[in-house]
């Protein structure tokens, strides 16, 4: 088995431990949520950057790695608490991904690159980190937004949509406009972009 396949298998084995499940429309049975999320990330990477190098493909696949082990409730329910939680997750997920890559046979430099991408280092200056950010935003809009927006008032949702849009490149935005959404969700996106 080559190192890329081995690393993917190790990453997906970790995702498969997620106790939360989901039954996607194209699946006959429930699957662990984080495995579903990883599949969506890979799908959008193939649209956004079909020629992505292995390190980026692995970083994309490793987003949210063992995320369920550090629930949001383990940090204060404040804005600072949220950012601390996100920052802590990125660091932890990067360390786990780096370890997996080393175990699979990647060099320290290659494994370090995967970890740097998972941490989203150089977001404004690194084109591969931007691809990862685009893909994460696309998966949010495609897979999580409709459920997410039900929990907040419209102004909060519009603000989050504007922040999401600002994080994306032109290529990411172009793909975002092609996502199949409910009429309500599409209306909120249009309203956010007009505002």
């Amino acid at each position: 088995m080559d190192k890329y396949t081995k690393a993917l298998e190790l990453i997906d084995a970790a995702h498969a431990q997620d106790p939360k499940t989901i039954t996607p429309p194209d699946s006959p049975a429930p699957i662990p949520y984080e495995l579903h999320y990883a599949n969506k990330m890979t799908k959008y990477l193939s649209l956004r950057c079909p020629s992505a190098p292995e390190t980026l493909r692995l970083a994309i696949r490793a987003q949210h790695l063992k995320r369920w082990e550090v629930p949001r409730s383990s940090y204060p329910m404040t804005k600072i608490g949220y950012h601390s939680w996100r920052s802590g997750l990125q660091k932890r997920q990067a360390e786990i991904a780096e370890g997996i890559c080393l175990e699979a046979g990647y060099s320290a430099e290659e494994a370090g690159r995967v970890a740097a991408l998972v941490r989203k280092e150089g977001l404004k200056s690194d084109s591969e980190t931007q691809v990862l950010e685009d893909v994460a935003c696309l998966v949010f809009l495609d897979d999580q937004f409709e459920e997410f927006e039900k929990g907040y008032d419209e102004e909060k949702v519009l603000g989050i949509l504007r922040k999401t849009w600002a994080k994306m490149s032109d290529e990411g935005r172009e793909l975002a406009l092609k996502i199949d959404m409910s009429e309500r969700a599409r209306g909120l996106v249009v309203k956010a972009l007009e505002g």
Side-chain angles (χ1 to χ4, degrees), residues 89-157:
L89 280 175
Q90 281 183 338
K91 185 173 184 252
R92 181 177 187 268
Q93 289 160 182
E95 287 170 0
I96 296 168
E98 187 171 17
I100 285 174
C101 289
L102 290 169
E103 183 182 340
Y106 282 94
S107 68
E109 183 181 349
E110 291 166 323
R113 176 62 177 156
V114 171
L117 286 165
V118 170
R119 286 189 300 268
K120 297 185 183 176
E121 289 181 6
L123 184 53
K124 296 298 178 190
S125 57
D126 186 315
S127 61
E128 290 182 4
T129 305
Q130 183 59 60
V131 168
L132 189 146
E133 183 68 29
D134 282 354
V135 170
C137 290
L138 289 164
V139 173
F140 167 70
L141 291 169
D142 175 36
D143 195 58
Q144 300 165 331
F145 175 64
E146 290 190 34
E147 188 63 33
F148 169 84
E149 67 91 7
K150 293 174 187 170
Y152 297 94
D153 65 68
E154 187 173 291
E155 277 311 304
K156 173 91 171 167
V157 170

Side-chain angles (χ1 to χ4, degrees), residues 32-51:
Y33 178 76
E34 292 303 351
L35 194 54
H36 163 75
Y37 181 86
N39 288 334
K40 285 277 190 178
M41 290 289 287
T42 296
K43 171 194 162 188
Y44 274 103
L45 177 62
S46 71
L47 296 172
R48 175 62 181 80
C49 187
S51 60

Side-chain angles (χ1 to χ4, degrees), residues 156-176:
K156 173 91 171 167
V157 170
L158 294 176
I160 288 167
L161 283 170
R162 290 180 188 117
K163 287 177 187 172
T164 301
W165 202 255
K167 292 178 187 178
M168 288 192 286
S169 67
D170 289 342
E171 295 89 345
R173 292 171 183 167
E174 190 177 318
L175 286 169

